[in-house]
Short mmCIF file of all heavy atoms in Angstrom, two decimals:
data_model
loop_
_atom_site.label_atom_id
_atom_site.label_comp_id
_atom_site.label_asym_id
_atom_site.label_seq_id
_atom_site.Cartn_x
_atom_site.Cartn_y
_atom_site.Cartn_z
N ARG A 1 5.90 -7.18 3.21
CA ARG A 1 7.08 -7.93 3.68
C ARG A 1 7.07 -7.85 5.20
O ARG A 1 6.93 -6.77 5.76
CB ARG A 1 8.35 -7.30 3.12
CG ARG A 1 9.59 -8.10 3.46
CD ARG A 1 10.83 -7.50 2.85
NE ARG A 1 10.68 -7.49 1.39
CZ ARG A 1 11.46 -6.79 0.57
NH1 ARG A 1 12.41 -6.03 1.05
NH2 ARG A 1 11.28 -6.83 -0.73
N HIS A 2 7.21 -8.97 5.85
CA HIS A 2 7.14 -9.03 7.32
C HIS A 2 8.52 -8.83 7.94
O HIS A 2 9.51 -9.37 7.45
CB HIS A 2 6.57 -10.38 7.76
CG HIS A 2 6.48 -10.53 9.24
ND1 HIS A 2 5.46 -9.98 9.97
CD2 HIS A 2 7.31 -11.12 10.12
CE1 HIS A 2 5.66 -10.25 11.25
NE2 HIS A 2 6.77 -10.95 11.37
N TYR A 3 8.57 -8.06 9.02
CA TYR A 3 9.80 -7.87 9.81
C TYR A 3 9.50 -8.25 11.25
O TYR A 3 8.41 -7.98 11.76
CB TYR A 3 10.28 -6.41 9.73
CG TYR A 3 10.79 -6.05 8.36
CD1 TYR A 3 9.92 -5.57 7.39
CD2 TYR A 3 12.11 -6.25 8.02
CE1 TYR A 3 10.37 -5.27 6.11
CE2 TYR A 3 12.57 -5.96 6.74
CZ TYR A 3 11.70 -5.47 5.80
OH TYR A 3 12.14 -5.19 4.53
N ASP A 4 10.46 -8.92 11.88
CA ASP A 4 10.23 -9.41 13.24
C ASP A 4 10.17 -8.31 14.28
O ASP A 4 9.51 -8.47 15.31
CB ASP A 4 11.32 -10.42 13.63
CG ASP A 4 11.19 -11.73 12.86
OD1 ASP A 4 10.05 -12.10 12.50
OD2 ASP A 4 12.22 -12.38 12.62
N THR A 5 10.86 -7.21 14.05
CA THR A 5 10.85 -6.11 15.02
C THR A 5 10.62 -4.78 14.32
O THR A 5 10.86 -4.66 13.10
CB THR A 5 12.18 -6.02 15.80
OG1 THR A 5 13.21 -5.62 14.90
CG2 THR A 5 12.54 -7.35 16.47
N VAL A 6 10.22 -3.80 15.08
CA VAL A 6 10.04 -2.44 14.53
C VAL A 6 11.38 -1.91 14.06
O VAL A 6 11.47 -1.31 12.98
CB VAL A 6 9.40 -1.51 15.59
CG1 VAL A 6 9.39 -0.07 15.12
CG2 VAL A 6 7.99 -1.98 15.93
N ASP A 7 12.42 -2.13 14.84
CA ASP A 7 13.75 -1.64 14.44
C ASP A 7 14.18 -2.22 13.09
O ASP A 7 14.73 -1.50 12.25
CB ASP A 7 14.80 -1.97 15.51
CG ASP A 7 14.70 -1.06 16.72
OD1 ASP A 7 13.89 -0.11 16.71
OD2 ASP A 7 15.46 -1.29 17.68
N GLU A 8 13.93 -3.51 12.87
CA GLU A 8 14.28 -4.11 11.58
C GLU A 8 13.52 -3.44 10.44
O GLU A 8 14.09 -3.19 9.37
CB GLU A 8 13.98 -5.62 11.59
CG GLU A 8 14.93 -6.44 12.42
CD GLU A 8 14.55 -7.91 12.42
OE1 GLU A 8 13.70 -8.34 11.60
OE2 GLU A 8 15.11 -8.64 13.26
N GLY A 9 12.24 -3.16 10.65
CA GLY A 9 11.44 -2.50 9.63
C GLY A 9 11.94 -1.09 9.34
O GLY A 9 12.06 -0.69 8.18
N LEU A 10 12.27 -0.35 10.39
CA LEU A 10 12.75 1.02 10.19
C LEU A 10 14.13 1.03 9.54
O LEU A 10 14.42 1.89 8.70
CB LEU A 10 12.75 1.78 11.52
CG LEU A 10 11.34 2.01 12.10
CD1 LEU A 10 11.45 2.69 13.46
CD2 LEU A 10 10.49 2.83 11.16
N LEU A 11 14.97 0.09 9.90
CA LEU A 11 16.29 -0.01 9.25
C LEU A 11 16.14 -0.34 7.76
O LEU A 11 16.92 0.13 6.93
CB LEU A 11 17.17 -1.03 9.96
CG LEU A 11 17.69 -0.60 11.32
CD1 LEU A 11 18.34 -1.78 12.06
CD2 LEU A 11 18.67 0.57 11.20
N ALA A 12 15.11 -1.13 7.42
CA ALA A 12 14.86 -1.45 6.01
C ALA A 12 14.44 -0.21 5.24
O ALA A 12 14.81 -0.03 4.08
CB ALA A 12 13.79 -2.54 5.91
N VAL A 13 13.71 0.68 5.88
CA VAL A 13 13.34 1.95 5.25
C VAL A 13 14.58 2.79 5.04
O VAL A 13 14.83 3.33 3.94
CB VAL A 13 12.30 2.74 6.11
CG1 VAL A 13 12.11 4.15 5.58
CG2 VAL A 13 10.98 1.99 6.16
N ILE A 14 15.41 2.92 6.07
CA ILE A 14 16.63 3.74 5.99
C ILE A 14 17.56 3.24 4.90
O ILE A 14 18.15 4.03 4.16
CB ILE A 14 17.33 3.78 7.36
CG1 ILE A 14 16.46 4.56 8.36
CG2 ILE A 14 18.72 4.37 7.26
CD1 ILE A 14 16.89 4.40 9.80
N SER A 15 17.69 1.93 4.78
CA SER A 15 18.60 1.35 3.79
C SER A 15 18.03 1.40 2.37
O SER A 15 18.75 1.12 1.40
CB SER A 15 18.93 -0.10 4.15
OG SER A 15 17.80 -0.94 3.91
N GLY A 16 16.74 1.73 2.23
CA GLY A 16 16.11 1.77 0.91
C GLY A 16 15.59 0.42 0.47
O GLY A 16 15.11 0.27 -0.66
N GLU A 17 15.63 -0.57 1.34
CA GLU A 17 15.12 -1.90 1.03
C GLU A 17 13.60 -1.86 0.79
O GLU A 17 13.09 -2.59 -0.07
CB GLU A 17 15.44 -2.85 2.19
CG GLU A 17 14.98 -4.26 2.03
CD GLU A 17 15.32 -5.11 3.24
OE1 GLU A 17 16.34 -4.86 3.91
OE2 GLU A 17 14.53 -6.03 3.52
N ILE A 18 12.91 -1.01 1.54
CA ILE A 18 11.47 -0.82 1.37
C ILE A 18 11.17 0.68 1.37
O ILE A 18 11.98 1.47 1.82
CB ILE A 18 10.65 -1.52 2.48
CG1 ILE A 18 11.06 -1.02 3.87
CG2 ILE A 18 10.77 -3.03 2.38
CD1 ILE A 18 10.21 -1.58 5.02
N ASP A 19 10.01 1.04 0.84
CA ASP A 19 9.63 2.45 0.76
C ASP A 19 8.95 2.94 2.04
O ASP A 19 9.01 4.13 2.36
CB ASP A 19 8.68 2.68 -0.41
CG ASP A 19 9.35 2.40 -1.73
OD1 ASP A 19 10.54 2.75 -1.88
OD2 ASP A 19 8.70 1.82 -2.62
N ALA A 20 8.25 2.05 2.74
CA ALA A 20 7.51 2.46 3.93
C ALA A 20 7.37 1.25 4.85
O ALA A 20 7.40 0.10 4.41
CB ALA A 20 6.13 2.98 3.55
N PHE A 21 7.21 1.54 6.12
CA PHE A 21 6.98 0.51 7.13
C PHE A 21 5.73 0.89 7.90
O PHE A 21 5.61 2.02 8.37
CB PHE A 21 8.20 0.42 8.07
CG PHE A 21 8.07 -0.61 9.15
CD1 PHE A 21 8.09 -1.96 8.84
CD2 PHE A 21 7.93 -0.23 10.48
CE1 PHE A 21 7.98 -2.90 9.84
CE2 PHE A 21 7.82 -1.16 11.48
CZ PHE A 21 7.84 -2.52 11.16
N VAL A 22 4.78 -0.03 8.00
CA VAL A 22 3.50 0.24 8.65
C VAL A 22 3.44 -0.48 9.99
O VAL A 22 3.73 -1.67 10.08
CB VAL A 22 2.33 -0.23 7.75
CG1 VAL A 22 1.00 -0.03 8.44
CG2 VAL A 22 2.37 0.48 6.41
N HIS A 23 3.08 0.28 11.02
CA HIS A 23 2.92 -0.27 12.37
C HIS A 23 2.07 0.71 13.16
O HIS A 23 1.68 1.76 12.65
CB HIS A 23 4.31 -0.43 13.02
CG HIS A 23 4.34 -1.46 14.11
ND1 HIS A 23 3.77 -1.27 15.33
CD2 HIS A 23 4.91 -2.69 14.16
CE1 HIS A 23 3.97 -2.33 16.09
NE2 HIS A 23 4.64 -3.22 15.40
N ASP A 24 1.79 0.42 14.42
CA ASP A 24 1.01 1.32 15.26
C ASP A 24 1.74 2.64 15.42
O ASP A 24 2.94 2.67 15.75
CB ASP A 24 0.76 0.71 16.64
CG ASP A 24 -0.12 -0.53 16.59
OD1 ASP A 24 -0.79 -0.72 15.56
OD2 ASP A 24 -0.14 -1.28 17.57
N GLN A 25 1.02 3.75 15.21
CA GLN A 25 1.65 5.07 15.20
C GLN A 25 2.42 5.40 16.49
O GLN A 25 3.57 5.82 16.41
CB GLN A 25 0.62 6.16 14.91
CG GLN A 25 1.24 7.53 14.78
CD GLN A 25 0.22 8.62 14.57
OE1 GLN A 25 -0.90 8.53 15.05
NE2 GLN A 25 0.59 9.64 13.84
N PRO A 26 1.85 5.19 17.69
CA PRO A 26 2.63 5.54 18.89
C PRO A 26 3.91 4.72 19.04
O PRO A 26 4.93 5.23 19.48
CB PRO A 26 1.66 5.23 20.05
CG PRO A 26 0.31 5.26 19.43
CD PRO A 26 0.49 4.81 18.01
N ILE A 27 3.87 3.47 18.62
CA ILE A 27 5.07 2.64 18.69
C ILE A 27 6.12 3.14 17.71
O ILE A 27 7.31 3.25 18.04
CB ILE A 27 4.72 1.16 18.46
CG1 ILE A 27 3.84 0.67 19.62
CG2 ILE A 27 5.98 0.31 18.32
CD1 ILE A 27 3.25 -0.70 19.42
N LEU A 28 5.70 3.48 16.49
CA LEU A 28 6.64 4.05 15.52
C LEU A 28 7.23 5.35 16.04
O LEU A 28 8.43 5.60 15.92
CB LEU A 28 5.95 4.29 14.18
CG LEU A 28 5.65 3.06 13.35
CD1 LEU A 28 4.82 3.46 12.13
CD2 LEU A 28 6.92 2.35 12.94
N GLN A 29 6.39 6.21 16.62
CA GLN A 29 6.88 7.48 17.14
C GLN A 29 7.87 7.27 18.27
O GLN A 29 8.86 8.00 18.38
CB GLN A 29 5.70 8.35 17.58
CG GLN A 29 4.90 8.86 16.42
CD GLN A 29 3.61 9.54 16.84
OE1 GLN A 29 2.95 9.12 17.79
NE2 GLN A 29 3.24 10.58 16.11
N PHE A 30 7.62 6.30 19.12
CA PHE A 30 8.55 6.00 20.22
C PHE A 30 9.91 5.58 19.65
O PHE A 30 10.95 6.09 20.06
CB PHE A 30 7.99 4.90 21.12
CG PHE A 30 8.98 4.46 22.16
CD1 PHE A 30 9.18 5.22 23.30
CD2 PHE A 30 9.70 3.29 21.99
CE1 PHE A 30 10.10 4.81 24.26
CE2 PHE A 30 10.63 2.88 22.95
CZ PHE A 30 10.83 3.65 24.09
N HIS A 31 9.91 4.66 18.70
CA HIS A 31 11.17 4.18 18.11
C HIS A 31 11.87 5.31 17.36
O HIS A 31 13.10 5.42 17.42
CB HIS A 31 10.93 2.98 17.20
CG HIS A 31 10.69 1.72 17.96
ND1 HIS A 31 11.69 0.83 18.25
CD2 HIS A 31 9.57 1.22 18.51
CE1 HIS A 31 11.19 -0.18 18.96
NE2 HIS A 31 9.90 0.03 19.12
N GLN A 32 11.11 6.13 16.65
CA GLN A 32 11.70 7.28 15.96
C GLN A 32 12.39 8.19 16.97
O GLN A 32 13.54 8.60 16.76
CB GLN A 32 10.65 8.05 15.19
CG GLN A 32 11.18 9.31 14.55
CD GLN A 32 10.09 10.29 14.17
OE1 GLN A 32 9.05 10.34 14.81
NE2 GLN A 32 10.34 11.06 13.14
N HIS A 33 11.70 8.50 18.05
CA HIS A 33 12.22 9.40 19.08
C HIS A 33 13.45 8.80 19.78
O HIS A 33 14.43 9.51 20.02
CB HIS A 33 11.11 9.68 20.09
CG HIS A 33 11.55 10.50 21.26
ND1 HIS A 33 11.95 11.81 21.14
CD2 HIS A 33 11.63 10.21 22.57
CE1 HIS A 33 12.27 12.28 22.32
NE2 HIS A 33 12.09 11.33 23.21
N GLU A 34 13.42 7.51 20.08
CA GLU A 34 14.49 6.88 20.86
C GLU A 34 15.71 6.51 20.03
O GLU A 34 16.83 6.59 20.51
CB GLU A 34 13.95 5.62 21.56
CG GLU A 34 12.99 5.92 22.68
CD GLU A 34 13.65 6.60 23.85
OE1 GLU A 34 14.71 6.12 24.31
OE2 GLU A 34 13.11 7.62 24.34
N ARG A 35 15.50 6.02 18.78
CA ARG A 35 16.62 5.45 18.03
C ARG A 35 16.83 6.03 16.62
O ARG A 35 17.90 5.84 16.05
CB ARG A 35 16.41 3.95 17.90
CG ARG A 35 16.42 3.24 19.22
CD ARG A 35 16.28 1.73 19.01
NE ARG A 35 16.02 1.07 20.26
CZ ARG A 35 14.83 0.82 20.76
NH1 ARG A 35 13.76 1.15 20.10
NH2 ARG A 35 14.67 0.21 21.92
N PHE A 36 15.81 6.66 16.06
CA PHE A 36 15.90 7.01 14.65
C PHE A 36 15.60 8.49 14.37
O PHE A 36 15.17 8.84 13.27
CB PHE A 36 14.95 6.13 13.84
CG PHE A 36 15.26 4.68 13.91
CD1 PHE A 36 14.60 3.85 14.81
CD2 PHE A 36 16.24 4.12 13.10
CE1 PHE A 36 14.90 2.49 14.89
CE2 PHE A 36 16.55 2.77 13.19
CZ PHE A 36 15.87 1.95 14.07
N THR A 37 15.84 9.35 15.34
CA THR A 37 15.55 10.79 15.17
C THR A 37 16.31 11.32 13.95
O THR A 37 17.51 11.11 13.80
CB THR A 37 15.97 11.57 16.43
OG1 THR A 37 15.22 11.07 17.53
CG2 THR A 37 15.70 13.06 16.26
N GLY A 38 15.57 11.99 13.07
CA GLY A 38 16.17 12.56 11.88
C GLY A 38 16.44 11.57 10.76
O GLY A 38 16.87 11.96 9.67
N ARG A 39 16.18 10.30 10.99
CA ARG A 39 16.44 9.29 9.98
C ARG A 39 15.18 8.75 9.32
O ARG A 39 15.22 8.25 8.20
CB ARG A 39 17.24 8.13 10.60
CG ARG A 39 18.59 8.62 11.12
CD ARG A 39 19.30 7.60 11.98
NE ARG A 39 19.69 6.44 11.19
CZ ARG A 39 20.08 5.30 11.73
NH1 ARG A 39 20.13 5.16 13.04
NH2 ARG A 39 20.43 4.28 10.99
N VAL A 40 14.05 8.82 10.04
CA VAL A 40 12.76 8.42 9.49
C VAL A 40 11.72 9.44 9.92
O VAL A 40 11.92 10.17 10.89
CB VAL A 40 12.30 7.01 9.95
CG1 VAL A 40 13.23 5.93 9.47
CG2 VAL A 40 12.14 6.95 11.46
N ARG A 41 10.62 9.48 9.20
CA ARG A 41 9.52 10.38 9.54
C ARG A 41 8.25 9.55 9.63
O ARG A 41 7.95 8.76 8.75
CB ARG A 41 9.38 11.44 8.45
CG ARG A 41 8.35 12.50 8.80
CD ARG A 41 8.38 13.61 7.81
NE ARG A 41 8.01 13.11 6.48
CZ ARG A 41 7.42 13.83 5.55
NH1 ARG A 41 7.18 15.10 5.77
NH2 ARG A 41 7.11 13.32 4.40
N VAL A 42 7.52 9.75 10.72
CA VAL A 42 6.25 9.05 10.93
C VAL A 42 5.14 9.97 10.43
O VAL A 42 5.00 11.09 10.90
CB VAL A 42 6.04 8.70 12.41
CG1 VAL A 42 4.68 8.02 12.60
CG2 VAL A 42 7.17 7.80 12.92
N LEU A 43 4.39 9.49 9.47
CA LEU A 43 3.31 10.27 8.89
C LEU A 43 2.03 10.11 9.71
O LEU A 43 1.76 9.01 10.22
CB LEU A 43 3.06 9.84 7.45
CG LEU A 43 4.24 9.96 6.49
CD1 LEU A 43 3.88 9.43 5.12
CD2 LEU A 43 4.71 11.40 6.41
N PRO A 44 1.21 11.15 9.80
CA PRO A 44 -0.05 11.06 10.56
C PRO A 44 -1.16 10.42 9.72
O PRO A 44 -2.17 11.05 9.39
CB PRO A 44 -0.36 12.52 10.88
CG PRO A 44 0.23 13.28 9.74
CD PRO A 44 1.48 12.51 9.33
#
C-alpha cells in the first residue's frame, strides 16, 4: 500500500491500519526520533 509521506505510513502503523511500513532506514530513524519516539520501532 503506497503512502505519500513517511509520516502517513508511520501513522498507519500506529493506528493498526498496516502491520509494517518499509522505507530507507535512516529516514525512518529520523522520523522516529523527531516525531514518533516510543510509538514505533525501526528494525535493523
Side-chain angles (χ1 to χ4, degrees):
R1 185 177 300 166
H2 179 80
Y3 291 89
D4 290 329
T5 68
V6 172
D7 284 356
E8 287 178 13
L10 294 176
L11 288 170
V13 170
I14 292 167
S15 72
E17 180 182 328
I18 58 175
D19 296 321
F21 180 69
V22 177
H23 204 288
D24 294 343
Q25 185 184 32
I27 294 171
L28 286 174
Q29 289 171 323
F30 173 79
H31 284 266
Q32 175 198 30
H33 176 66
E34 290 293 311
R35 297 183 191 92
F36 298 97
T37 300
R39 298 168 67 193
V40 296
R41 186 172 63 150
V42 177
L43 301 177

